[in-house]
Amino acid sequence: MTDRARITVFDTTLRDGEQSPGCSMNHQEKLRLAHQLDRLGVDVIEAGFPIACKPDIERAWEALREAARPRIHVFLATSDIHLQYKLRITRDECLAQARESVRFAKSLCSDVEFSPEDATRTDPEFLCRVLQTVVDAGATTLNIPDTVGYSMPLEFGELISTIRARVTGLENVTISAHCHNDLGLAVANALAAIAAGARQVECTINGIGERAGNASLEEIVMAMRVRPDRYPFETGVVGEQLFPASQLLSEITGVPVQPNKAITGRNAFAHEAGIHQDGVLKNPLTYEIMTPKSVGVPDSRLVLGKHSGRHALNMRCEQLGYQFDRRALDDIYRRFVRLADKIKHVEDHHLLELIRDTHKTAGSATPLIEPLQGAVAASASTPAQDSPKAFPNPAPASSYGMSVPVAQEHHPEQQEDYLWGV
């Protein structure tokens, strides 16, 4: 087997991510997150960067000079719209400023990265002139930013290929990609760049950043890890630290992760639809392309809602200490669906109350609901005399939700759930 190419993961959560409205961090909070990024295994941690002027570059070097592997990252806008309206300089002045800033940075630090801001809206011929100029001046990394999230994946990949073909002296220079998410394509563009030859990707935890954010670190890493057939690359990222990093960032900034966020969102490994729950209970691979533990999530969880099926409902009742025959399950399932339609998510205390009410209404000498034998109390929130008995040796509970067994034996009669609409 051939060795896979190594992708340098450049984390800019502390710099570009912090520029996201509401995500500012103080000194101690940045240190906490930096330690977690180190545990995560990122290659580069960007805490800030200078513009292309001598005083800022000097200050950056003063902050970095004691680092084990310092790098100075300078940037300068290159698109005509930025040159004309923001910087008010000509293309020739842009070339001269880029050359001098990289030369000065190189005199201080051997590792210098240059970014042509708004590269994807820069005339390609002029962009290559700028990049050739900074390579000749000593730049060791050329970072290509899609600063305003304007590019399409095929287009961005072609731009990386054009740069590799036209700029000379790249044998010891790394091509990098820095993509924003204004059209929801940051991760797709970053992956297109990698496929076209970029060997560094700049990204943030949870995809935070200005406006719609940056490319999400966890999504890029796991896309390559899940699909090595398409992206035969490796990183130094420790997958099990992805969820802890996401949670820490959310705690520090006070900005929650959207529930449907890929990899680290609350619903990323949650299942409510009955047919999905039935499949996951039999084999998680039916609906999960990666294991929760591979990204540090405690476990999958089954959300009991109106779309849930009898299989998941029955399993949760067993974990709470109750078993049903088919008639009892049908009865409680109908009541459960009505309740779920009103309150969206049925928690354990709702289910226990529903079980007690159903048992009381049954009025039968032979209970339809029978507590399992030899178990202990399951809920401290119910009175002692009514406390149900817990399912023997339940799966460990976690704050992430109800855990899912790896697999269960499939009995033919369970197939009925598909015909009942689950």
Side-chain angles (χ1 to χ4, degrees):
M1 180 181 294
T2 59
D3 292 336
R4 294 179 179 176
R6 178 73 144 70
I7 303 299
T8 297
V9 175
F10 180 113
D11 181 273
T12 185
T13 305
L14 299 179
R15 198 277 301 171
D16 202 343
E18 196 201 20
Q19 293 172 205
S20 177
C23 290
S24 62
M25 292 172 260
N26 61 36
H27 181 72
Q28 289 302 319
E29 289 169 338
K30 280 196 170 188
L31 279 176
R32 283 183 66 200
L33 188 56
H35 284 299
Q36 175 58 35
L37 293 173
D38 186 46
R39 288 190 289 272
L40 180 60
V42 303
D43 300 288
V44 182
I45 298 175
E46 184 175 48
F49 68 177
I51 58 175
C53 69
K54 188 173 181 179
D56 269 7
I57 294 171
E58 287 177 329
R59 284 201 296 270
W61 176 241
E62 287 302 314
L64 290 169
R65 64 188 312 158
E66 300 301 324
R69 296 174 61 189
R71 175 187 294 184
I72 295 179
H73 181 190
V74 296
F75 78 101
L76 182 66
T78 54
S79 67
D80 287 335
I81 191 169
H82 277 237
L83 295 180
Q84 180 179 352
Y85 293 102
K86 186 179 77 171
L87 299 181
R88 300 184 186 277
I89 61 176
T90 66
R91 285 186 174 185
D92 286 342
E93 290 172 321
C94 173
L95 283 168
Q97 193 170 330
R99 180 187 302 110
E100 293 309 310
S101 64
V102 171
R103 278 180 179 171
F104 181 62
K106 188 72 172 184
S107 72
L108 302 173
C109 182
S110 61
D111 191 357
V112 177
E113 177 170 335
F114 177 81
S115 289
E117 187 185 6
D118 204 21
T120 53
R121 293 194 298 174
T122 299
D123 172 63
E125 183 178 342
F126 179 64
L127 177 63
C128 288
R129 285 179 62 198
V130 173
L131 296 176
Q132 187 66 67
T133 296
V134 298
V135 168
D136 294 341
T140 50
T141 297
L142 300 180
N143 179 51
I144 312 303
D146 185 23
T147 304
V148 292
Y150 176 74
S151 194
M152 298 287 115
L154 181 61
E155 178 183 36
F156 196 59
E158 289 173 347
L159 178 60
I160 300 298
S161 297
T162 296
I163 291 167
R164 295 182 66 206
R166 294 189 185 178
V167 178
T168 62
L170 297 183
E171 295 80 10
N172 297 310
V173 174
T174 300
I175 304 295
S176 173
H178 178 115
C179 301
H180 278 262
N181 205 40
D182 296 72
L183 293 175
L185 295 170
V187 171
N189 282 332
L191 291 172
I194 290 170
R199 290 298 176 261
Q200 175 178 286
V201 61
E202 305 197 356
C203 42
T204 62
I205 302 298
N206 293 340
I208 68 168
E210 294 187 87
R211 304 180 313 279
N214 286 264
S216 163
L217 182 151
E218 55 274 8
E219 293 175 26
I220 293 172
V221 168
M222 292 311 295
M224 291 189 289
R225 208 154 282 181
V226 171
R227 295 301 306 273
D229 56 319
R230 292 289 179 176
Y231 299 96
F233 309 105
E234 63 177 22
T235 73
V237 169
V238 180
E240 292 78 8
Q241 291 295 329
L242 288 170
F243 185 68
S246 169
Q247 293 291 290
L248 178 60
L249 176 62
S250 184
E251 175 200 329
I252 288 174
T253 62
V255 177
V257 181
Q258 67 189 65
N260 63 322
K261 167 74 173 62
I263 314 300
T264 56
R266 185 177 69 242
N267 291 346
F269 296 94
H271 309 271
E272 181 180 333
I275 195 167
H276 287 217
Q277 291 177 335
D278 183 67
V280 168
L281 287 168
K282 293 166 182 171
N283 188 329
L285 291 176
T286 54
Y287 287 101
E288 291 181 352
I289 60 172
M290 67 196 90
T291 66
K293 287 183 172 59
S294 70
V295 298
V297 171
D299 218 329
S300 303
R301 66 189 182 109
L302 300 184
V303 177
L304 292 181
K306 72 174 185 178
H307 301 107
S308 298
R310 289 164 179 76
H311 193 172
L313 176 64
N314 190 47
M315 191 192 80
R316 189 59 186 145
C317 289
E318 287 186 350
Q319 289 181 334
L320 291 173
Y322 291 92
Q323 285 183 324
F324 296 87
D325 62 19
R326 184 66 194 218
R327 184 162 64 92
L329 179 61
D330 290 345
D331 190 17
I332 200 168
Y333 180 72
R334 283 190 290 269
R335 296 167 186 259
F336 160 78
V337 170
R338 288 196 296 270
L339 177 62
D341 201 32
K342 294 178 182 178
I343 66 173
K344 308 304 180 187
H345 289 164
V346 178
E347 306 293 346
D348 286 353
H349 66 93
H350 297 129
L351 189 55
L352 290 168
E353 184 176 350
L354 189 149
I355 289 171
R356 288 196 297 271
D357 288 346
T358 305
H359 177 46
K360 187 185 303 181
T361 305
S364 170
T366 304
L368 298 177
I369 307 163
E370 300 176 354
L372 297 175
Q373 300 300 314
V376 296
S379 175
S381 63
T382 55
Q385 63 271 24
D386 292 327
S387 295
K389 294 183 177 181
F391 192 56
N393 301 318
S398 74
S399 60
Y400 200 69
M402 170 182 168
S403 60
V404 179
V406 173
Q408 290 191 353
E409 184 179 356
H410 179 216
H411 298 288
E413 61 269 18
Q414 291 177 338
Q415 193 66 30
E416 284 188 41
D417 278 352
Y418 293 115
L419 305 177
W420 284 61
V422 291

